[in-house]
Amino acid sequence: MSTAMHELRERLGEVSDLEQAAGTLQWDQQTMMPRAGAAARAEQLATLETVVHERATSSELGTLLDRAAEESAGEPPDSDAASLVRVARRDYDKARRVPGELKAEMARAGSLGQEAWERARAQSDFALFRPHLERGLELKRRYVECFSGEFDCAYDALLDDFEPGTRTAEVAAVFEELKAGLVPLIAAIAERVGTTGEEKASTSPLYGAFPAEAQRALVLQILPRLGFDPVGWRLDEAAHPFATGTPGDVRLTTRYEEDHLGMALYSALHECGHGLYEAGVAPELARTPLGSGVSLGLHESQSRLWENVVGRSRPFCTWALPLLQAAFPPQFAGVEVEELFRAANRVRPSLIRVEADEATYSLHVILRFELEQELIEGRLAVADLPEAWNARMRDYLGVEVPDDARGVLQDVHWSAGLFGYFPTYALGNVISLQIWERARAELPDLDARIERGELAPLREWLREHLHRYGRKFTPRETLVLAAGAPLDVRPYLAYLREKLGAVYGLAK
Amino acid sequence: MSTAMHELRERLGEVSDLEQAAGTLQWDQQTMMPRAGAAARAEQLATLETVVHERATSSELGTLLDRAAEESAGEPPDSDAASLVRVARRDYDKARRVPGELKAEMARAGSLGQEAWERARAQSDFALFRPHLERGLELKRRYVECFSGEFDCAYDALLDDFEPGTRTAEVAAVFEELKAGLVPLIAAIAERVGTTGEEKASTSPLYGAFPAEAQRALVLQILPRLGFDPVGWRLDEAAHPFATGTPGDVRLTTRYEEDHLGMALYSALHECGHGLYEAGVAPELARTPLGSGVSLGLHESQSRLWENVVGRSRPFCTWALPLLQAAFPPQFAGVEVEELFRAANRVRPSLIRVEADEATYSLHVILRFELEQELIEGRLAVADLPEAWNARMRDYLGVEVPDDARGVLQDVHWSAGLFGYFPTYALGNVISLQIWERARAELPDLDARIERGELAPLREWLREHLHRYGRKFTPRETLVLAAGAPLDVRPYLAYLREKLGAVYGLAK
């Protein structure tokens, strides 16, 4: 390796170490940390952010990037060396636009904000969280200003952090197409349920009495089938489940609701999808800026694929049912595969995004996408947010929000300063089907294998066609490599129409 | 606050944040981290060490220290400002002597070493650990060289990191006095046991069948009595129990042995003593170099005080017995206070330091103190260490070491590069009695309060007379502030003679 390239990797490796350290401290904050540690943790994260920013924007790094670019000029663009220089340069130029103090301030506010959010959510009291949200938005507006002239609108700058290269207008167009497909589907299901009265008559086996310990044991039976290194991951509990970590140290979280098995089961599969992506990045990209998933949309395609496309499929239900019966005999005795499959795919407008079914889920996202744009542009005041939230929930989903805990306070994102993140969930839905269709075409016995609990072949295919690339290519390029085509809503809508059409007996 | 002082505090605060971040990552490594994460964690800790070292030794910090010293020249020496400048200057001068690469190398080696030690210990195979120990010693010799001319011998430089200002010769003298007191005491007990046959006839209620979950529940009943902020601490399991953290985020660990309740109970009390010291440092010293315990000897005085002087006392046994009876009815039904007190104070030469009784404990320490000196000076080769260990265990304690797991591999310290640390355990024993005698003189109803489970008054006294000072004064000065006198072995020996004399019916 050339000298400049060697030095560059060492410098970038240090930045990566510090980012990973911060990631573990954030995990710790949400799973392990005593509550009174929040203020000190906020200082620690802010200082780490300062140090990362200093190193990621130092003029020495700029010089090294120039030298390494010269040295690697002859390398093919898809080589690790050329990709490293290209991506690191893009990160560097972007990071140089943001003052270190602002980054530190955002880290500190995010850490304190999460702590306030947890209290506010526990007491269902938006007022406790309001000043933190106002502060978070104020900081985000200052952040957006750092990119003045680069983007068409404020929201573009936020979105770019999570889905690099994607613009608000594109997302809005995709969401229109999604909405146009989903609304009639949801209406047809509602009409069908109204006609047959089936929904009222049936009770879901996923609701009942499920002790948390037994749920955890069940999840720990299922996840290893997806194929982690047995000593390379762990599972914990968090108020808002998330995944973090690196190959060899993947940290999944889930939440146990003792009256609803679906919460823990599907959120564990979801986070496992994220974890498998991070664990599957090519080892030679470790400790470089290429060593993680390329965008949140691609990331979410993996989590939604395992949670929904696999986890709520008839083959998976066939395999999982005996495990459920062994874990919770009273709830699942006599339950047929078809009944579990229908329970796993029940469509019903509801309050909580992470519990929403596949048909209504994207409407939860679209609501947040709209509110975020209004908040950042100052068209909506934070004080008016709960009312705006509740009104839109009524409009889009026909549900009444009974309290802020089940409304505007349900998600952790805004407390941590994550604005522009939500749309990637719905993009992930769309992408998950594009990738799934290709995988299924190349692995023709996939359904039969899933029915036997053989989940590793799919994981291997995903590693080969997506995970291993890390951040070597842009999200757009990566999508084409994995799915063979650019963003396309049709497979997702076709999948929902077919699956839910079968569940609810809709006309084709 | 003056400008230089303000800037100094900010800079030192950042160093403190990074050290705390590293502390949490080390805690994580020993309690939570998946095993395959060890290599990446080693890199992270090494990078954090590099950053800390860069910042703690920067010439800007030197200039700030000069300016702050001028500005605070008029302050009384015991003021926070004067102490901060004095202690930070001492730390700075010491840190400047060690190259950053060496510090990083030591951090990396310590992290990998711990991982290797865990495997070696699990398999009782010293060969797996040997290269790591050799590497650790090689690095330590390079470290010692950084202080050439400062100390009388290599070991002085190691000791100074844990017990600043104390020298090998002093420790050797104290240990001679200790040994001279302990050997006849142990012999008298052995003779008494041989005469009466009592030891063989009695069975200890602390040995039996104790499910780990129930042990944890018991420990969680006892520790809150010592008076932590209820949302400011947590308790986990670790192969080698330790405590870490800061006020508001104290992390205690213990180990559950399902056939021996004493392990978890006394090691939890021990680590709680450490945690209370850290939690008790004056809040205004937080995020400064003054914001932690002053030396390991003083620290150990706190852990041994709660573990032994309180935890194995008759008043504590009186209070704790009903809790033990409720937690483990079969084991403790019909057990009298006197029986528990005798079980808690049974003297029997044994293999494992952390399980040793108070009479034999210091001999375990003296053995390590001697071996460390021979290793660092190259008088003993690492390859010959197990044999030397086993021979000395035979000489000093009359026990045969059956395997390395219960011999040379029992402690984590050397794997983490902690040489010169062990002597502080025995110094802590000595100091614990000096402090206890003063506390008892000032809190005359202390025994009665402990008998009622009122442990907070002692904790308050310790905070007032020791904890709150943090690192403001030297260990020597701090000892005099807390105990009213310099290091003195006599109270400790008198305490052992009295307590164990009563337990074993020895002539006065």
Side-chain angles (χ1 to χ4, degrees), chain A residues 10 13-18 20-21 24-25 27-28 31-38 40-41 43-44 47-48 50-51 54-55 108 229 231-234 236 246-251 287, chain B residues 10 13-18 20-21 24-25 27-28 31-38 40-41 43-44 47-48 50-51 54-55 108 229 231-234 236 246-251 287:
Chain A
E10 200 32 57
E14 288 180 352
V15 172
S16 159
D17 291 337
L18 296 168
Q20 284 176 23
T24 303
L25 292 176
W27 169 86
D28 180 84
T31 57
M32 299 291 157
M33 189 185 77
R35 215 167 64 229
R41 180 57 49 85
E43 296 290 348
Q44 294 155 24
T47 294
L48 271 172
T50 303
V51 176
E54 266 178 32
R55 298 192 159 227
R108 190 177 289 118
D229 172 359
V231 296
W233 68 292
R234 56 175 292 133
D236 297 279
T246 48
D249 188 0
V250 171
R251 312 231 168 165
R287 275 193 99 223
Chain B
E10 200 32 57
E14 288 179 354
V15 171
S16 159
D17 291 337
L18 295 168
Q20 284 176 22
T24 303
L25 292 175
W27 169 86
D28 180 84
T31 56
M32 299 291 157
M33 189 185 77
R35 215 166 65 229
R41 179 56 50 85
E43 296 290 348
Q44 294 155 23
T47 294
L48 272 173
T50 303
V51 176
E54 267 178 32
R55 299 193 158 228
R108 190 177 289 118
D229 172 359
V231 295
W233 69 291
R234 56 176 292 134
D236 296 279
T246 48
D249 187 0
V250 172
R251 312 232 168 164
R287 275 192 100 223

Side-chain angles (χ1 to χ4, degrees), chain B residues 107-409:
Chain B
R108 190 177 289 118
S111 197
L112 292 172
Q114 278 178 71
E115 210 264 327
W117 167 74
E118 264 180 37
R119 267 183 295 116
R121 183 179 188 248
Q123 300 173 42
S124 193
D125 184 355
F126 182 74
L128 291 176
F129 178 52
R130 182 182 148 181
H132 292 271
L133 183 53
E134 283 168 344
R135 173 78 176 137
L137 280 164
E138 182 195 317
L139 291 169
K140 275 292 162 190
R141 284 192 203 99
R142 281 171 53 198
Y143 179 75
V144 166
E145 278 167 27
C146 301
F147 299 94
S148 101
E150 284 289 296
F151 296 105
D152 295 337
C153 64
Y155 197 80
D156 272 0
L158 305 183
L159 189 58
D160 197 72
D161 284 342
F162 306 107
E163 205 59 33
T166 297
R167 297 293 169 257
T168 311
E170 290 172 79
V171 173
V174 166
F175 284 2
E176 277 313 303
E177 208 178 331
L178 250 185
K179 222 198 281 184
L182 292 175
V183 167
L185 179 64
I186 296 169
I189 292 169
E191 196 192 342
R192 181 79 189 155
V193 171
T195 310
T196 64
E198 179 201 17
E199 197 72 0
K200 285 197 195 84
S202 84
T203 55
S204 165
L206 293 170
Y207 288 86
F210 306 96
E213 241 349 280
Q215 289 192 50
R216 181 175 154 82
L218 173 71
V219 168
L220 287 175
Q221 271 190 295
I222 291 173
L223 295 193
R225 291 298 187 114
L226 279 69
F228 282 117
D229 172 359
V231 295
W233 69 291
R234 56 176 292 134
L235 175 73
D236 296 279
E237 214 176 330
H240 186 98
F242 66 100
T244 187
T246 48
D249 187 0
V250 172
R251 312 232 168 164
L252 310 180
T253 63
T254 191
R255 191 168 94 206
Y256 304 104
E257 290 188 352
E258 298 212 310
D259 59 353
H260 178 211
L261 179 60
M263 179 69 217
L265 180 62
Y266 295 113
S267 80
L269 284 169
H270 179 102
E271 301 309 336
C272 192
H274 286 303
L276 287 170
Y277 190 1
E278 291 297 324
V281 176
E284 57 271 25
L285 305 182
R287 275 192 100 223
T288 79
L290 309 182
S292 64
V294 71
S295 78
L296 291 198
L298 266 304
H299 238 300
E300 204 62 21
S301 79
Q302 298 307 289
S303 54
R304 305 289 287 176
L305 189 151
W306 288 104
E307 175 192 356
N308 292 328
V309 189
V310 174
R312 296 179 203 271
S313 69
R314 199 179 270 108
F316 188 87
C317 290
T318 306
W319 171 66
L321 183 57
L323 297 178
L324 300 181
Q325 287 170 327
F328 305 104
Q331 279 80 6
F332 289 99
V335 168
E336 303 283 337
V337 168
E338 196 56 27
E339 196 178 341
L340 175 61
F341 174 64
R342 296 168 79 88
N345 291 287
R346 185 148 75 161
V347 174
R348 187 169 53 181
S350 63
L351 290 165
I352 308 292
R353 178 184 58 83
V354 295
E355 294 170 13
D357 58 77
E358 287 178 271
T360 58
Y361 184 93
S362 297
L363 297 178
H364 289 266
V365 169
I366 291 170
L367 171 152
R368 286 157 178 77
F369 172 65
E370 292 168 356
L371 291 175
E372 283 186 334
Q373 291 177 69
E374 294 170 29
L375 285 168
I376 195 73
E377 289 167 11
R379 288 185 279 132
L380 174 65
V382 170
D384 300 329
L385 177 61
E387 204 181 313
W389 179 287
N390 298 349
R392 225 160 294 203
M393 285 296 286
R394 206 176 296 124
D395 286 358
Y396 291 4
L397 289 160
V399 296
E400 286 299 327
V401 176
D403 51 47
D404 290 339
R406 284 173 283 181
V408 68
L409 289 175

